[in-house]
């Protein structure tokens, strides 16, 4: 009768034993042959029988591949030999049956799986790993990718995602971008992330420069709501309290102006006092723009304060 026994390595094996009347019962029949020194050595290895079988299968595949390669070199048909070797490997069980994707946190996994699943049922020997990687790098979110085989039947995809740092508004569309300005995906106004908004043509390509600029004033960086790239030459910064700061052209000039503004805000609390705009484009002038109602009130107060002439 047949019994299922768990043998070394945790694998279920089907074995056949006989009842009391069998010729091979305990203590009957011819004594078994003693194992050879090679068999004893294999038995002593800390691996399961399944693993040994897979290693043996792979060794056989390797021998066949080498043999076919040698024949192909002699006959001048390496492409045919490679195809035959791949077919032999697939028939031996070395064929892509599983896909494992790792490192995906924010991006949609579906495009990654669509690329990887195109390799299913393909021989492990015929996988074009660089080509698969190139296809992965075309996805906006993917900063880097590593593609590898895990024998006998798994394709492993390790993804390194880009980090979103801002939302780019251009031509009425909103796009999530990384520090290099690479577009990651479109976003809707209803699902705006808590990130600065950069506005203007090519503003996405200036995001790295904007981040570097804001590092000169770390106290102002968390207050930044957005920035507009004006005339492809300078920034207008918008703060969460509603004010706009116009900076001059050039990296050094804009950094100097921003540092001076941060110093004045630290002393006099310029932000949050209802001022509409600060203009620092001219290094010799600091211009403030007040709300229109405040301008009218000050003009009226100034007119009332003027001395009246005597009536004659």
């Amino acid at each position: 009768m047949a019994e299922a026994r768990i043998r070394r390595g945790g694998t279920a094996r089907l074995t056949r034993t006989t009842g009391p009347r069998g010729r091979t019962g305990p203590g009957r029949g011819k004594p078994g042959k003693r194992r050879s020194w090679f068999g004893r050595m294999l038995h002593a290895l800390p691996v399961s029988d399944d693993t040994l079988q897979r290693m043996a299968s792979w060794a056989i595949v390797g021998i066949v591949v080498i043999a076919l390669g040698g024949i192909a070199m002699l006959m001048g048909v390496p492409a045919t030999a490679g195809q035959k070797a791949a077919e032999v490997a697939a028939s031996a069980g070395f064929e892509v049956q599983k896909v494992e994707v790792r490192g995906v946190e924010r991006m949609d996994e579906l495009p990654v799986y669509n690329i990887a699943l195109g390799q299913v049922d393909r021989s492990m020997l015929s996988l074009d790993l660089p080509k698969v990687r190139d296809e992965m790098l075309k996805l906006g979110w993917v900063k880097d990718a590593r593609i590898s085989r895990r024998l006998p039947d798994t394709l492993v995809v390790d993804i390194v995602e880009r980090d979103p740092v801002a939302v780019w508004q251009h031509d009425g569309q909103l796009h999530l971008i990384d520090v290099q300005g690479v577009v990651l995906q479109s976003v809707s106004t209803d699902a705006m992330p808590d990130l600065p908004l950069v506005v203007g043509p090519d503003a996405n390509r200036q995001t790295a420069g904007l981040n570097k600029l804001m590092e000169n004033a770390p106290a102002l960086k968390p207050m930044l709501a957005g920035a507009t790239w004006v005339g492809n030459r300078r920034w207008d910064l918008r703060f969460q309290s509603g004010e706009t700061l116009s900076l001059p052209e050039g990296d050094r000039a804009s950094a100097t102006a921003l540092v001076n503004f941060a110093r004045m805000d630290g002393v006099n609390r310029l932000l949050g006092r209802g001022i509409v705009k600060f203009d620092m484009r001219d290094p010799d002038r600091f211009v403030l723009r007040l709300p229109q109602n405040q301008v009218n009130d000050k003009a009226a107060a100034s007119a009332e304060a003027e001395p009246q002439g005597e009536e004659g």
Side-chain angles (χ1 to χ4, degrees):
M1 58 187 226
E3 296 179 352
R5 297 183 179 179
I6 304 298
R7 301 186 61 186
R8 183 166 52 88
T11 304
R13 291 291 183 188
L14 190 65
T15 60
R16 184 173 297 277
T17 60
T18 61
R21 299 179 182 179
R23 297 180 180 178
T24 57
R28 298 193 180 191
K30 296 180 180 180
K33 295 182 180 180
R34 297 182 61 186
R35 290 182 176 177
S36 65
W37 63 271
F38 184 73
R40 292 195 301 271
M41 181 180 67
L42 287 178
H43 186 73
L45 291 175
V47 294
S48 66
D49 291 343
D50 281 347
T51 303
L52 289 175
Q53 290 178 3
R54 290 175 182 174
M55 292 171 61
S57 298
W58 186 243
I60 293 172
V61 171
I63 294 172
V64 173
V65 169
I66 294 173
L68 289 176
I71 295 173
M73 293 298 293
L74 294 176
M75 300 180 63
V77 286
T80 302
Q83 182 179 356
K84 292 296 184 182
E87 292 175 358
V88 171
S91 63
F94 294 92
E95 184 179 62
V96 179
Q97 297 294 333
K98 304 174 187 175
V99 174
E100 181 177 329
V101 177
R102 303 185 295 206
V104 173
E105 296 180 2
R106 292 180 289 263
M107 68 177 292
D108 183 4
E109 291 183 333
L110 184 59
V112 177
Y113 276 107
N114 285 340
I115 295 173
L117 290 175
Q119 307 301 315
V120 171
D121 296 333
R122 188 184 296 268
S123 168
M124 296 292 278
L125 292 181
S126 64
L127 286 176
D128 190 345
L129 300 186
K131 181 180 179 180
V132 177
R133 179 176 182 271
D134 290 341
E135 291 296 319
M136 295 292 179
L137 292 178
K138 292 178 182 178
L139 303 176
W141 273 97
V142 178
K143 182 178 181 180
D144 197 5
R146 186 171 66 88
I147 317 298
S148 59
R149 303 176 180 90
R150 188 169 68 210
L151 298 178
D153 59 2
T154 304
L155 179 66
V156 181
V157 180
D158 287 284
I159 296 294
V160 179
E161 290 182 335
R162 297 181 185 272
D163 295 320
V165 299
V167 176
W168 177 39
Q169 178 180 326
H170 180 56
D171 288 340
Q173 301 294 321
L174 298 174
H175 304 280
L176 200 62
I177 60 174
D178 76 341
V179 71
Q180 301 301 326
V182 176
V183 175
L184 307 182
Q185 68 180 49
S186 298
V187 295
S188 64
T189 54
D190 298 332
M192 281 283 290
D194 187 17
L195 293 172
L197 178 69
V198 294
V199 182
D202 293 329
N204 61 316
R205 301 183 183 277
Q206 304 299 323
T207 307
L210 177 62
N211 282 358
K212 185 177 180 181
L213 172 65
M214 295 307 300
E215 289 175 359
N216 294 285
L220 297 178
K221 191 171 183 178
M223 305 179 191
L224 185 67
T228 301
W229 183 238
V230 181
N232 202 30
R233 65 183 188 276
R234 67 173 192 83
W235 287 106
D236 273 356
L237 306 182
R238 298 187 307 280
F239 296 98
Q240 294 176 1
S241 48
E243 302 88 348
T244 298
L245 171 62
S246 294
L247 295 175
E249 301 177 28
D251 295 340
R252 180 175 296 181
S254 59
T256 300
L258 184 61
V259 169
N260 289 336
F261 180 80
R263 186 181 299 113
M264 289 186 291
D265 179 65
V267 174
N268 300 309
R269 288 297 175 189
L270 300 177
L271 296 177
R273 297 179 61 179
I275 300 172
V276 175
K277 185 175 182 179
F278 306 96
D279 194 337
M280 301 186 71
R281 288 176 291 175
D282 187 341
D284 298 325
R285 298 176 61 194
F286 181 51
V287 180
L288 307 180
R289 181 184 298 174
L290 299 175
Q292 190 62 38
N293 58 344
Q294 293 187 26
V295 173
N296 294 336
D297 292 344
K298 288 190 176 183
S302 176
E304 292 176 359
E306 292 180 359
Q308 300 293 325
E310 296 181 359
E311 297 182 0

